[in-house]
Amino acid sequence: MLQSNERFRITYRLTCDADEDPYAKARDLALEQTVELPAEVLPPHIADLVVGRVEAVDPVGDPPGDAGVSAWRVVLSYEAEVTVGDDVTQFVNLLFGNASLKSGVLVEDADVPATLLMRCGGPRFGVPGVRAACGAEDERPLLCAAAKPLGLSPAELAAVCYAFAAGGVDVVKDDHGLADQAPAPFAERVPRCQEAVERANADTGGRTLYFPHVSAGADLAAQLEVVRAAGCRGIVVSPLLIGWETTRRLAADSGLVLFAHPTLAGAFFHPTHGIRPDVLLGRLFRTVGCDGVIYPNVGGRFSFTLQECEAINRRLREPFAVHRPSFPVPAGGIAAERVPEWLDRYGPDTVFLLGSSLYRQKDLRAAAARLVEAVRRRAAVGG
Amino acid sequence: MLQSNERFRITYRLTCDADEDPYAKARDLALEQTVELPAEVLPPHIADLVVGRVEAVDPVGDPPGDAGVSAWRVVLSYEAEVTVGDDVTQFVNLLFGNASLKSGVLVEDADVPATLLMRCGGPRFGVPGVRAACGAEDERPLLCAAAKPLGLSPAELAAVCYAFAAGGVDVVKDDHGLADQAPAPFAERVPRCQEAVERANADTGGRTLYFPHVSAGADLAAQLEVVRAAGCRGIVVSPLLIGWETTRRLAADSGLVLFAHPTLAGAFFHPTHGIRPDVLLGRLFRTVGCDGVIYPNVGGRFSFTLQECEAINRRLREPFAVHRPSFPVPAGGIAAERVPEWLDRYGPDTVFLLGSSLYRQKDLRAAAARLVEAVRRRAAVGG
C-alpha cells in the first residue's frame, strides 16, 4: 500500500472567466498534473494519495468586474515520493507541464521536495565559491563583461576578452549566441579566449575568469573537454534549451562554475499564465545548481519590473535547504554609469553584467577600467 | 572574410503598441537575435552578414483601433553558417531565445538551414516506419492508449497494458507523468509492461507495441538500457523538458521510435507572443526527429482550435527536406465514440491517442476492442 512521507506545496494564481468555478478549476489542475484521469474512474487509494490535494482557494485582488474575470490564490499539495521522487524533469512537469496547455494558470511559489533537493544539491560554488575563484572574498559586487558579437574570429574575440580582463572585470563571459559557428568554431575560440584572459592577468596581476558558452548543441562531452583542457573555471549554459537534467548534471559533475542564461524564459512570463520570474529563474535555476543567474534588469532592453528583479535576487540569496546562495546577474542593457546606483539598491552579492554600454565606449579596456574604478569607489563608501 | 552561403527566413508577427514603430521593432529583433549590440558599434562586415536582414514588414489585419495597437508580418533572414551552423540548440535560441523576453513577438514560420536539416535527419521511422513496426502498412489510422494512472504498481500498470493490447490498439504508451517514482520504479515497470504486451500479442495474434516514457531525469543511458533489454521498440519523450539536442540525439542514435509529448509547450502559445503551435510541435519537433507528435485535440481538455490542429497535421506530413513525415497524435480528451468522425477529418495517417474515455468504460479490453472495431469499419467504408 502507498504511504505518505512528505507533501510539498505549489501555489498557483488561477484566473477564472465568468463561467469558471475556481474550486472546480483547482480540482481539475490537481488531477491534470498527476493522474490525467477524471476523479470518478480512480481507485480510492490513488485518489487519496496521488492526486494533488486542494489546500486553499482564496480570492485575490478586486472582485470580478463587468467581464466577470476573477483571480484566486490556490495552494495544491502533492505527495513527494509518489509524484516526483528525485527526478527534476518530472518536478517541472508536475509544476506546469500539462497546465501550460490550459489558460489562466500562473505558478507563484513552489516548494521543492526533500529528496529532489538532496539529488540536486544546489550551486556547487554559489556566492562564496565564485568569490573565492575570482579572489573577491571581500564584500564587493562582481563585474562581468560579455564577449561579442557573433561573427568575430577567435583572434578578434580573444582581443575583446583581453581588453575586458586587462580592464579588471571579474568575469568575461561569452554571448549566449556563440555556439560552434563557422566564424569562430568552439574548439578554436575557447582556448584563444582563455589564453587571452590569462595573459591579461599576467600583465596586470588580475584574477579575471573566462566563462565560455556551452550550447550543448553538439557533443557536450567533447565541448567540456575543450573547456577543461583550456583551463576555464566556469561556463555559461541555457537551462531552458539544454534541459533541466543536463543542467543539474553539469552543476553536479563538471566541477565548473555555472552561469545560467534566461533565453526562452520569457515564454513563461505572461502575467496570468506561466511561472513567475522569481520561481523560474530564482528557485528552480538555483535548485538545479546554477551559481549565477543572468536576468534582464529593469530599465534595459527587456520588460521586468523592479519588483520582479528584487524578487529574483531574494530567491537566489535566501536561506533555502542547505543550498548555497547564487549570484543574481542583472544584465540586458545596464548602463555602466548607473552601476554604482544599482549596487546601492541590489547590494554587494550581485554580479553586474555589461555589454552594449561598454562597447559604445570603443576602448574596451578603458571602459572596463572606468567601471571597475567607479564600483570600487562606491563599494568603499558603502562599506 | 566571412562569406554568405545560405540564408534562411523566419516569419514573425509583431504586435506594436501605439508608440512602437514596426520597422524599428523589426530591426531591433534582427540585432537582438544575433549580435546583441546596437548597430552603431558593429564593424561593417558584422552588420552586413551576421545581423538578421529585414526582408519584409507588412501590416496584418485591421488598422489600429483606438488603443493604437497594430500587427505586422515581418520576415527576417539570417546567414545560416554564421548564425547557426548545425546546432539545433542555437537554432531555437535564434528563433525565439532573447525575443521571448520582449513582448508582442510571435514566430509564425521558420525555415530550417540545410546544414541543420542534414544533422537532424528528421524522423528515423516516421509514418512508414511506425506503420511497419505495428504491422499496419495498409491505409488505416493507428490507435494508441495511455497506460495510467501514476500511483499504480508495476503489476497494475502491466495489467492495464495487457488489456489495451489484447483489445487490439496499435500502441500502448506510458502517461508522461510516469517517471521513476516509488510506486513503480522505471526498471521494474518497463519490463513488466513490455512483457504484458508481448503476452497479449501471443494470446491474440496482435502486434501491439509498448512505448515507455523516458523522462531522462535520471541516468538516461541506464534507462535506455532497460528499454532495450525489455525489447521495447519506442519511447515517449518530452522535448521541452529534456532539451532539443537530447531529443535529436535520441532520434538519431537510439534506434527507437520517438513519440513526443507537448508538456510545457503551452507556455509558447500566447496569441501575440510565442511560437505558433504548428511551428513548435510540427516543424521543430519533426526536424529533431520525433516520429509521432502528441498534441491536445480541439474539443478536449485543452485549448487548441481546429485550425491549429489541422496546421500541426499539415506540418508533420508535408514534404519537407528529405525528412520522413511524422504521425500527428491528437489526444487530450478524445471521446472514443467520436474517433471515426475525427478519422474522416484528419485522414488515415493519424494516431488517435485515448485515455479517459477508455477508462470510463471500466472493462479496458472491451473498450479498446470496441474502438478498434469502430475504426476498422469506418476505415473500410472510407477506403
Side-chain angles (χ1 to χ4, degrees), chain B:
Chain B
M1 199 58 189
L2 298 176
Q3 290 195 338
S4 182
N5 296 297
E6 180 203 356
R7 297 191 73 82
F8 65 97
R9 297 155 69 96
I10 309 289
T11 304
Y12 294 92
R13 183 189 178 108
L14 300 187
T15 303
C16 294
D17 290 336
D19 62 348
E20 282 184 308
D21 168 27
Y23 297 89
K25 189 163 176 160
R27 282 192 301 271
D28 172 69
L29 192 59
L31 290 163
E32 189 65 54
Q33 298 305 97
T34 52
V35 293
E36 296 185 63
L37 279 176
E40 61 270 24
V41 308
L42 294 173
H45 72 289
I46 301 285
D48 284 350
L49 195 58
V50 183
V51 176
R53 190 182 295 158
V54 179
E55 303 280 359
V57 178
D58 295 305
V60 188
D62 299 329
D66 288 347
V69 174
S70 60
W72 303 81
R73 181 151 301 118
V74 167
V75 179
L76 300 186
S77 73
Y78 299 94
E79 208 292 322
E81 293 304 303
V82 170
T83 62
V84 171
D86 68 355
D87 184 331
V88 65
T89 307
Q90 165 61 9
F91 178 63
V92 178
N93 192 27
L94 180 136
L95 204 65
F96 194 60
N98 273 12
S100 78
L101 296 156
K102 308 261 183 180
S103 63
V105 180
L106 180 69
V107 178
E108 286 201 322
D109 201 357
D111 293 346
V112 182
T115 311
L116 186 59
L117 282 173
M118 283 201 316
R119 178 145 194 275
C120 285
R124 290 315 191 266
F125 296 86
V127 169
V130 174
R131 283 195 178 283
C134 299
E137 277 142 315
D138 47 332
E139 272 269 300
R140 67 168 179 86
L142 303 191
L143 294 170
C144 180
K148 55 172 89 179
L150 174 62
L152 295 186
S153 68
E156 291 167 324
L157 285 168
V160 168
C161 290
Y162 181 92
F164 285 142
V169 303
D170 299 285
V171 178
V172 181
K173 69 161 269 289
D174 280 354
D175 233 10
H176 79 295
L178 294 174
D180 188 30
Q181 296 99 335
F186 187 87
E188 286 180 45
R189 77 180 157 79
V190 171
R192 289 293 283 271
C193 290
Q194 172 69 15
E195 184 277 328
V197 168
E198 287 177 8
R199 192 155 33 83
N201 287 341
D203 291 350
T204 65
R207 292 187 57 178
T208 304
L209 304 178
Y210 165 61
F211 293 177
H213 174 238
V214 171
S215 76
D219 183 336
L220 177 58
Q223 290 197 334
L224 290 177
E225 203 44 57
V226 170
V227 168
R228 287 206 194 85
C232 304
R233 297 287 302 273
I235 55 179
V236 177
V237 296
S238 300
L240 296 177
L241 286 170
I242 69 174
W244 293 96
E245 169 65 9
T246 300
T247 305
R248 185 205 66 76
R249 195 157 31 86
L250 281 168
D253 301 340
S254 73
L256 297 162
V257 173
L258 250 62
F259 272 22
H261 192 280
T263 178
L264 277 196
F268 295 89
F269 300 155
H270 190 264
T272 61
H273 188 66
I275 304 178
R276 240 175 46 179
D278 62 293
V279 175
L280 184 67
L281 302 180
R283 174 63 50 90
L284 299 183
F285 276 24
R286 179 179 171 192
T287 294
V288 295
C290 300
D291 301 289
V293 175
I294 300 167
Y295 68 82
N297 198 32
V298 55
R301 307 194 305 274
F302 303 98
S303 46
F304 275 5
T305 64
L306 178 60
Q307 193 184 14
E308 286 170 323
C309 296
E310 292 186 323
I312 295 169
N313 295 352
R314 197 163 47 243
R315 292 276 194 187
L316 291 171
R317 297 169 181 152
E318 71 190 353
F320 183 62
V322 295
H323 288 185
R324 292 185 184 87
S326 305
F327 265 116
V329 188
I334 290 188
E337 63 275 17
R338 290 195 59 197
V339 170
E341 189 182 318
W342 285 116
L343 164 56
D344 289 349
R345 185 172 284 279
Y346 287 167
D349 282 344
T350 310
V351 177
F352 293 97
L353 167 56
L354 285 92
S356 302
S357 97
L358 298 176
Y359 286 88
R360 283 183 201 278
Q361 299 177 54
K362 301 284 192 301
D363 181 338
L364 299 185
R365 178 174 179 165
R370 268 192 299 274
L371 172 68
V372 168
E373 181 52 31
V375 169
R376 195 157 296 163
R377 259 199 320 269
R378 185 64 147 248
V381 173

Side-chain angles (χ1 to χ4, degrees), chain A residues 5-262:
Chain A
N5 296 298
E6 180 203 356
R7 297 191 72 84
F8 66 97
R9 298 155 68 97
I10 310 289
T11 305
Y12 294 92
R13 183 188 178 108
L14 300 186
T15 303
C16 294
D17 289 335
D19 62 348
E20 283 184 306
D21 169 26
Y23 297 90
K25 190 162 175 161
R27 283 192 300 272
D28 172 69
L29 192 59
L31 291 162
E32 189 66 53
Q33 298 306 96
T34 52
V35 294
E36 296 184 63
L37 279 176
E40 61 269 25
V41 308
L42 295 173
H45 71 290
I46 302 283
D48 284 350
L49 195 58
V50 183
V51 176
R53 190 182 295 159
V54 180
E55 303 281 358
V57 178
D58 295 305
V60 187
D62 298 331
D66 287 348
V69 174
S70 59
W72 304 79
R73 181 152 300 120
V74 168
V75 178
L76 301 186
S77 73
Y78 299 95
E79 209 292 322
E81 293 304 303
V82 170
T83 62
V84 171
D86 67 355
D87 184 331
V88 65
T89 307
Q90 165 61 9
F91 178 63
V92 177
N93 193 27
L94 179 137
L95 204 65
F96 194 60
N98 273 11
S100 78
L101 296 156
K102 308 261 182 181
S103 63
V105 181
L106 179 70
V107 178
E108 285 201 321
D109 201 356
D111 293 346
V112 181
T115 310
L116 186 59
L117 282 173
M118 282 201 316
R119 179 147 194 272
C120 285
R124 289 317 189 267
F125 296 86
V127 169
V130 173
R131 283 195 179 283
C134 298
E137 277 142 317
D138 46 333
E139 273 268 301
R140 66 169 179 86
L142 303 190
L143 295 170
C144 179
K148 54 173 91 180
L150 174 62
L152 295 186
S153 68
E156 290 167 324
L157 286 168
V160 169
C161 290
Y162 181 91
F164 285 141
V169 303
D170 298 286
V171 178
V172 180
K173 69 161 268 290
D174 280 353
D175 233 9
H176 79 295
L178 294 174
D180 188 30
Q181 296 98 336
F186 187 86
E188 287 180 45
R189 78 178 156 80
V190 171
R192 288 293 283 270
C193 291
Q194 173 68 17
E195 185 276 329
V197 169
E198 287 176 7
R199 192 155 31 82
N201 288 340
D203 291 350
T204 65
R207 291 188 57 178
T208 304
L209 303 178
Y210 165 60
F211 292 178
H213 174 240
V214 171
S215 77
D219 182 336
L220 178 57
Q223 291 197 334
L224 290 178
E225 204 43 59
V226 169
V227 168
R228 286 206 196 84
C232 303
R233 296 286 304 272
I235 55 178
V236 177
V237 297
S238 300
L240 297 177
L241 285 169
I242 69 176
W244 293 95
E245 169 65 9
T246 300
T247 305
R248 186 205 66 76
R249 194 155 32 83
L250 281 169
D253 301 340
S254 73
L256 297 162
V257 174
L258 251 61
F259 272 22
H261 192 280

